[in-house]
Amino acid sequence: MLQPSPRSTSTTGHRNLDPAHPLGVLAEASSFVSAKDSADRPDSASPGTDAYESPRDMGIANSSYFNGKGEPVGQTSPILEMLEVSDIEELFRLFLDNIWVHLPIVERKRCTPLLVLQRSPPLFNAICCVSVKYYTAKPHLLAPLRQLAMDELAKFPTEKSLEFVQSQLAYLTWAVVPTASHDDDMTWVRMGMTVRMALDLNMHRAGKIDMGNSEKISLYEYFFGLHLYSAPEWRVKSMRRTWLICMILEKTMAVQMGKPSLLWSHGVVQADLEENPGDSVELTRIFTATEYSQLLERTLDTTTLMRSLTVGMDNDLPDVDVLFQRQLENWRERGQRREAARDGALPEGQKAIQRARYKLYFSYGQLIIASVGLQHSIDNDSTYKPFALAKYQTAALSVLHTFRDDWAAPGFSPYCTDFQYSYVLYAAVSLLKSVQVQFSHSLLERVAVGRLISNIANLLEDAARVWDHLPLLQSKFLRRVLKARVPEFEETPRGPLPTRLIIPEALSAHQSQVASPDLSFPQSSAVDYQMNGQEDLWMQNDFTETTFGRSDLFSWDDFVGT
């Protein structure tokens, strides 16, 4: 049985506060007073004397308030009592070989079950809970680990650490259990909490570290404290990686939900995103994804502003579209060049995933940009509308064809991140909407579009591994939308679902839809929205901000009506 070794109880010093800020000034003063008291206190100090400090002092009255807590000793995980060692090893293998390659959250070389358990039981639990849906050899392990994940995320965090942040990122990237209602979905809130914790741990400063330059280290120590330098180099790099992934997920969620980003590129130094021969291909991949999320955010912020300034002006916004299209092309070229210099030792499978990722991200970026131009032309009844619609449909088709040919066909689709599935669903529903009667300029045949969407729904269903896996829910939702929007298309029945996709009889309807407010990526619960009896927004005569939806997100209210 795996057992964590005892961890050190020595304090590392909570020196991650900037002395230039008010709290940093207090921490600096506390450190000075504590050092002076320790030097002046006689060895024979006893209770009742001025030299003795009451152990009951709390808050800032405690001289060790800013010194940091000792590391927990001998923490363990309930998974050790649920699973055999061979099962745990298999779950970690599934994570590293199939899931990790899509978003490398942790340091692969230091991600063995024993090492992770010693560092952080919450991260150990997260890896097992995320991987268990793919462990088809023992499906009976799914229920207890799902419940463990729900219990873990129902608790308010009491630990601040790099590994705890990584565990939250794993849950946010690969949902374990969807919520029963969008109102119950606390993913955006948990993302904000995770970002705040990362900021509190100074992960946003890790990218500024040059481990090989003693002068820079001394300068950093002077201004920002010693917190990061008390860790080994691999851990500092892991902080850097984790912070960038926080940015990727937060900005991706902001774009998809139509909300302002919490970060506004805070803490990102442009030099971090430049080519560095010493970085691994995984870190380079994260840099590229960070640039992509920033590009999409910048596109939407700029075009939203331009829309408000160019009402009645046909030509201004298309020029902005061209600008961001060029930036998107430059991003793809720069990223592929970076990774080509480092991926020589990668297996061919990972290289194929890289190529597929670039195609999907590029196509989705084109769709976002095209949606802005289309919305602008609709708002202003522009003569640009037929061209904007053609670009929009072409981009949506490109996303769907990429998913079909480069993700589903090679077998990569079951392990996608939740936001990648959302890219596909957004493109599919957008394409369905573009062939409605309001768009008389559409050159696509409705039944042919219905056939493609049906195929995409089948591929999403095939990618699902359990009965509430996100692609299966999206497949069900997509079939309902297809039936309502293209009634002349008749789907060919596929036959019964595989056993793995059928809710076990042991689970009641209530148990299978327990509202876990923290476990689903935004929009994963859209299948639970009801279409019947609602106002049919799609069939209104004109498309406005409310009916077409802001072009920077996929609004369920706009497409379904709530």
Side-chain angles (χ1 to χ4, degrees):
M1 181 69 69
L2 290 171
Q3 292 293 342
S5 60
R7 302 172 69 183
S8 171
T9 58
S10 63
T11 59
T12 58
H14 199 288
R15 303 182 182 183
N16 55 346
L17 298 173
D18 188 346
H21 299 155
L23 190 60
V25 172
L26 299 182
E28 188 178 48
S30 176
S31 178
F32 175 78
V33 172
S34 298
K36 188 174 186 303
D37 288 347
S38 297
D40 296 343
R41 181 181 301 156
D43 295 338
S44 60
S46 59
T49 64
D50 293 338
Y52 180 81
E53 178 186 350
S54 170
R56 293 187 296 273
D57 285 340
M58 300 295 290
I60 200 169
N62 186 345
S63 61
S64 61
Y65 179 75
F66 290 103
N67 290 344
K69 296 169 61 178
E71 293 183 337
V73 178
Q75 285 191 0
T76 186
S77 167
I79 291 180
L80 298 179
E81 301 177 1
M82 301 178 187
L83 277 63
E84 299 293 335
V85 172
S86 58
D87 295 328
I88 295 174
E89 291 175 344
E90 179 62 16
L91 291 175
F92 269 72
R93 186 197 65 78
L94 285 169
F95 182 82
L96 293 175
D97 291 350
N98 300 289
I99 303 173
W100 177 89
V101 296
H102 291 280
L103 195 65
I105 290 177
V106 296
E107 188 81 12
R108 185 184 181 100
K109 294 180 180 179
R110 291 174 172 81
C111 192
T112 65
L114 184 58
L115 289 178
V116 174
L117 181 61
Q118 289 175 349
R119 294 200 309 269
S120 173
L123 178 58
F124 178 86
N125 296 341
I127 291 175
C128 292
C129 291
V130 164
S131 304
V132 71
K133 72 178 66 171
Y134 304 102
Y135 194 17
T136 55
K138 295 189 177 180
H140 64 279
L141 298 178
L142 179 62
L145 291 191
R146 282 162 49 102
Q147 187 59 50
L148 173 63
M150 294 170 65
D151 294 342
E152 288 265 296
L153 290 174
K155 298 182 295 186
F156 192 83
T158 57
E159 172 188 344
K160 293 189 293 186
S161 69
L162 166 65
E163 286 78 13
F164 187 84
V165 171
Q166 292 172 336
S167 72
Q168 298 305 299
L169 294 177
Y171 285 128
L172 290 166
T173 307
W174 296 278
V176 179
V177 183
T179 55
S181 167
H182 182 71
D183 291 336
D184 295 328
D185 191 338
M186 300 295 287
T187 306
W188 177 247
V189 177
R190 182 165 287 276
M191 183 73 249
M193 180 208 69
T194 303
V195 167
R196 288 291 187 185
M197 185 178 294
L199 287 169
D200 193 47
L201 293 169
N202 272 348
M203 292 185 191
H204 60 296
R205 293 173 178 164
K208 301 178 182 180
I209 297 175
D210 183 351
M211 298 298 295
N213 191 318
S214 59
E215 293 183 0
K216 287 189 177 182
I217 291 178
S218 299
L219 183 65
Y220 187 92
E221 291 173 350
Y222 178 79
F223 282 109
F224 300 116
L226 304 175
H227 180 72
L228 293 177
Y229 289 101
S230 64
E233 181 178 355
W234 73 266
R235 193 168 180 82
V236 174
K237 288 185 176 181
S238 187
M239 290 180 182
R240 183 189 198 190
R241 171 204 302 257
T242 303
W243 171 249
L244 292 177
I245 292 177
C246 284
M247 288 197 62
I248 293 169
L249 293 183
E250 196 277 337
K251 291 182 180 297
T252 299
M253 289 186 185
V255 168
Q256 292 192 342
M257 299 179 71
K259 299 183 184 297
S261 173
L262 306 176
L263 296 176
W264 301 97
S265 299
H266 173 70
V268 173
V269 182
Q270 188 61 33
D272 279 353
L273 305 178
E274 296 297 329
E275 190 169 343
N276 185 344
D279 289 333
S280 64
V281 65
E282 291 83 12
L283 190 55
T284 303
R285 186 187 311 164
I286 293 173
F287 284 164
T288 304
T290 305
E291 285 184 309
Y292 178 77
S293 64
Q294 290 177 314
L295 173 59
L296 289 189
E297 180 195 27
R298 188 166 61 249
T299 301
L300 299 177
D301 288 346
T302 303
T303 51
T304 300
L305 176 62
M306 291 295 296
R307 281 178 57 194
S308 65
L309 298 177
T310 59
V311 177
M313 301 173 63
D314 286 356
N315 296 325
D316 284 8
L317 194 58
D319 292 340
V320 176
D321 293 351
V322 172
L323 171 64
F324 284 113
Q325 177 70 25
R326 289 175 180 172
Q327 291 188 17
L328 186 64
E329 293 171 354
N330 291 337
W331 163 82
R332 179 178 61 177
E333 179 182 352
R334 184 169 57 252
Q336 289 177 334
R337 185 175 63 250
R338 286 175 182 166
E339 294 187 19
R342 297 173 175 81
D343 65 0
L346 285 180
E348 184 56 37
Q350 290 194 30
K351 293 180 181 179
I353 291 176
Q354 286 297 92
R355 292 191 293 268
R357 183 181 295 110
Y358 273 109
K359 291 183 66 174
L360 180 64
Y361 285 17
F362 183 78
S363 299
Y364 179 73
Q366 286 184 311
L367 178 58
I368 292 293
I369 295 171
S371 69
V372 174
L374 178 57
Q375 183 66 64
H376 176 73
S377 65
I378 291 172
D379 290 344
N380 296 279
D381 195 22
S382 169
T383 57
Y384 177 75
K385 188 187 302 183
F387 179 64
L389 178 61
K391 286 181 61 178
Y392 183 74
Q393 292 177 329
T394 301
L397 287 169
S398 179
V399 173
L400 300 181
H401 290 162
T402 298
F403 178 73
R404 181 192 64 190
D405 301 335
D406 297 278
W407 288 88
F412 302 146
S413 57
Y415 306 98
C416 286
T417 62
D418 286 358
F419 62 81
Q420 290 168 337
Y421 289 129
S422 296
Y423 291 174
V424 177
L425 185 62
Y426 171 65
V429 179
S430 298
L431 188 62
L432 278 174
K433 187 164 190 177
S434 73
V435 296
Q436 298 306 303
V437 294
Q438 290 84 356
F439 292 99
S440 57
H441 300 289
S442 175
L443 300 178
L444 298 179
E445 203 271 324
R446 286 164 54 86
V447 173
V449 169
R451 190 179 302 112
L452 173 62
I453 298 303
S454 176
N455 185 25
I456 295 299
N458 292 339
L459 295 177
L460 287 170
E461 180 182 298
D462 294 340
R465 286 297 174 265
V466 292
W467 60 90
D468 58 0
H469 197 183
L470 179 58
L472 179 62
L473 304 185
Q474 291 180 333
S475 174
K476 292 179 179 180
F477 175 77
L478 195 53
R479 293 187 196 281
R480 291 167 55 195
V481 176
L482 174 60
K483 184 178 180 180
R485 296 304 111 205
V486 190
E488 63 268 32
F489 174 74
E490 295 184 5
E491 280 197 278
T492 304
R494 298 197 75 195
L497 286 174
T499 304
R500 71 175 190 277
L501 302 183
I502 301 176
I503 300 177
E505 295 181 1
L507 292 178
S508 66
H510 172 72
Q511 289 174 322
S512 63
Q513 294 187 3
V514 174
S516 170
D518 306 304
L519 293 177
S520 62
F521 200 79
Q523 307 160 20
S524 65
S525 60
V527 69
D528 298 298
Y529 282 108
Q530 298 299 317
M531 296 173 62
N532 298 329
Q534 303 293 337
E535 182 183 1
D536 193 353
L537 296 179
W538 273 12
M539 300 308 294
Q540 295 180 7
N541 293 326
D542 60 330
F543 281 85
T544 63
E545 177 87 4
T546 4
T547 56
F548 190 76
R550 285 184 56 198
S551 303
D552 54 337
L553 67 139
F554 183 86
S555 170
W556 298 108
D557 295 295
D558 298 336
F559 288 101
V560 178
T562 58

